[in-house]
Amino acid sequence: MYTKSKIDIPSKARESILDTIENAMLTFWDDYQNEEILNEEIIDLDIRKVFGEYTPSFELKGYLEGQKLFINIAPFFNTRNRHDQTDIDYLVKFINEVNNALEKTINLEQSVDGLICDYFVQSILKKIR
């Protein structure tokens, strides 16, 4: 949805995003139907895992992206329940770390969900360039 609404995402990045999502979903579905594969071995569809190869390394990545992203920064990411319970301190730390890691400012003129989506899109753009 995010990639469809943003006109400034190059087609190569858009294709990479859609291909990554499609591959993750196909792998998940194939593994899910395979009775020989344990549930713990099925691919994790968490956006951080699906696009993990694209996101940059930064000092507090495990802490901010791994632990705090969907608990304190964007607790209602990609849900219908749109309460704004963002912890501003963690959000500011995340933005600063990500801007430095990407060497680019992520779009701050949107919702927290949009900011998180922009982080993943900008990470993909940086990786494929």
Side-chain angles (χ1 to χ4, degrees), residues 4 102 108 128:
K4 287 183 179 180
L102 292 173
L108 305 176
I128 64 175

Side-chain angles (χ1 to χ4, degrees), residues 113-127:
D113 277 12
L115 183 129
I116 301 304
C117 289
D118 195 42
Y119 163 61
F120 285 99
V121 168
Q122 295 305 322
S123 296
I124 292 163
L125 286 171
K126 183 174 182 169
K127 185 83 170 194

Side-chain angles (χ1 to χ4, degrees), residues 57-120:
S57 295
F58 53 92
E59 184 178 348
L60 298 175
K61 180 176 180 154
Y63 181 66
L64 292 174
E65 183 185 301
Q67 295 178 28
K68 299 298 179 184
L69 188 61
F70 296 132
I71 294 172
N72 299 90
I73 299 170
F76 296 102
F77 179 76
N78 202 28
T79 66
R80 289 189 175 120
N81 191 358
R82 298 286 180 173
H83 298 292
D84 187 18
Q85 295 182 349
T86 300
D87 184 314
I88 299 300
D89 291 335
Y90 286 117
L91 177 63
V92 170
K93 288 176 187 173
F94 179 75
I95 290 169
N96 287 333
E97 290 286 329
V98 166
N99 285 345
N100 289 333
L102 292 173
E103 300 172 335
K104 180 178 173 118
T105 302
I106 55 176
N107 188 349
L108 305 176
E109 299 176 9
Q110 55 191 336
S111 68
V112 174
D113 277 12
L115 183 129
I116 301 304
C117 289
D118 195 42
Y119 163 61
F120 285 99

Side-chain angles (χ1 to χ4, degrees), residues 12-69:
K12 185 176 180 181
R14 194 179 311 270
E15 289 171 16
S16 182
I17 292 166
L18 295 175
D19 287 347
T20 302
I21 292 169
E22 181 179 357
N23 290 334
M25 294 299 295
L26 289 172
T27 301
F28 174 84
W29 186 245
D30 289 345
D31 290 354
Y32 182 76
Q33 293 183 30
N34 186 339
E35 293 178 7
E36 295 177 10
I37 296 178
L38 299 173
N39 286 344
E40 300 83 39
E41 297 172 333
I42 295 175
I43 186 174
D44 188 343
L45 294 178
D46 184 311
I47 189 172
R48 295 169 294 187
K49 302 279 194 230
V50 172
F51 291 103
E53 70 180 88
Y54 295 102
T55 57
S57 295
F58 53 92
E59 184 178 348
L60 298 175
K61 180 176 180 154
Y63 181 66
L64 292 174
E65 183 185 301
Q67 295 178 28
K68 299 298 179 184
L69 188 61

